Amino acid sequence: MNAYSFLFCQTRCTALPSGALHLPDHDVLCVSDLHLGKSERIARRSGVMLPPYEVVETLQKLETDIAATNPDHIICLGDSFDDLDAAISLNEDMRLWLARLQAGKTWVWIEGNHDPGPVDMGGTHKADITVGTLTFRHIATNATAEVSGHYHPKHRVTGRSRPAFLCDTQRLIMPAYGAYTGGLASHAPELRKLFNGRIMAILTGHKAIPVPIT
């Protein structure tokens, strides 16, 4: 199996190679920072044209993870859309695709800094949500037993930087799931100050690989 299972704050978790987090005991799949519509937002604001395929690539990946884990609940952990105009600009095919993914699921959109308000995409909109022992929100706070996103962490091994989960005993920060997202190095002060003691990176890619980094 290419996923990595671990216990975090008494909750059994599985980090998938894609960057999704599965909570098998709660039938939850969580993804963070999809940034759907990023190419449209960049074109609108700067005139720079990127290939407009990131929505398709991201939704294909999400569809694969949903099929593999068959969750009852899906949490999108903020910045699901690159901004509200990008959400509104999604074409009908992409909206219908999202609706198919949501069918029969309890779907929660956590508010992010890019998408602070509700959009007409089905599901429920919340600032945070608690599942078992864990609280899910977009940006990390001083709380314990917390899962968050926002920082798009990456970790470099043998010269290659890969999106990665970062966690210690009290906090887990998820990698960005979207196709057109950059990242913040795991050694960046903005990330290191959020953790106390030993940190583990779980690299994404072909296989989810745990790597102790402090």
Side-chain angles (χ1 to χ4, degrees):
M1 181 114 179
N2 289 335
Y4 175 71
S5 295
F6 60 105
L7 195 66
F8 174 63
C9 295
Q10 291 77 55
T11 295
R12 192 159 60 102
C13 299
T14 301
L16 304 185
S18 62
L21 184 72
H22 183 217
L23 276 57
D25 296 338
H26 298 278
D27 290 321
V28 168
L29 182 72
C30 179
V31 293
S32 188
D33 294 271
L34 305 180
H35 284 274
L36 299 174
K38 186 167 185 174
S39 61
E40 186 277 334
R41 192 269 298 170
I42 290 173
R44 172 171 23 94
R45 293 190 182 183
S46 69
V48 175
M49 305 300 291
L50 295 176
Y53 305 126
E54 90 283 358
V55 176
V56 170
E57 184 175 341
T58 301
L59 292 184
Q60 283 177 336
K61 184 166 66 165
L62 182 55
E63 185 172 57
T64 297
D65 282 341
I66 290 172
T69 58
N70 191 29
D72 290 333
H73 309 273
I74 296 172
I75 300 171
C76 294
L77 202 56
D79 286 1
S80 299
F81 304 94
D82 211 52
D83 63 13
L84 290 180
D85 286 338
I88 293 168
S89 298
L90 283 186
N91 66 40
E92 187 64 18
D93 287 345
M94 298 303 100
R95 287 173 171 267
L96 290 173
W97 194 348
L98 265 174
R100 289 195 300 271
L101 295 180
Q102 291 174 332
K105 311 292 183 184
T106 300
W107 193 288
V108 176
W109 304 103
I110 298 295
E111 296 170 3
N113 57 295
H114 278 249
D115 49 7
V119 292
D120 183 20
M121 293 286 180
T124 303
H125 298 265
K126 295 179 179 287
D128 55 55
I129 188 171
T130 297
V131 178
T133 65
L134 306 180
T135 298
F136 293 78
R137 59 173 52 90
H138 182 59
I139 301 177
T141 67
N142 291 323
T144 59
E146 179 182 74
V147 181
S148 62
H150 180 63
Y151 291 99
H152 305 191
K154 289 188 159 189
H155 185 61
R156 183 175 295 276
V157 175
T158 61
R160 181 185 176 193
S161 181
R162 291 163 62 175
F165 301 82
L166 295 181
C167 65
D168 60 11
T169 59
Q170 297 296 335
R171 177 167 291 109
L172 191 157
I173 298 179
M174 294 185 57
Y177 196 82
Y180 279 3
T181 50
L184 185 64
S186 59
H187 62 265
E190 296 92 331
L191 279 170
R192 288 303 180 98
K193 70 182 182 182
L194 297 170
F195 295 96
N196 294 309
R198 192 172 181 84
I199 308 172
M200 179 173 68
I202 305 172
L203 307 181
T204 64
H206 176 67
K207 185 176 183 179
I209 301 173
V211 180
I213 59 176
T214 58

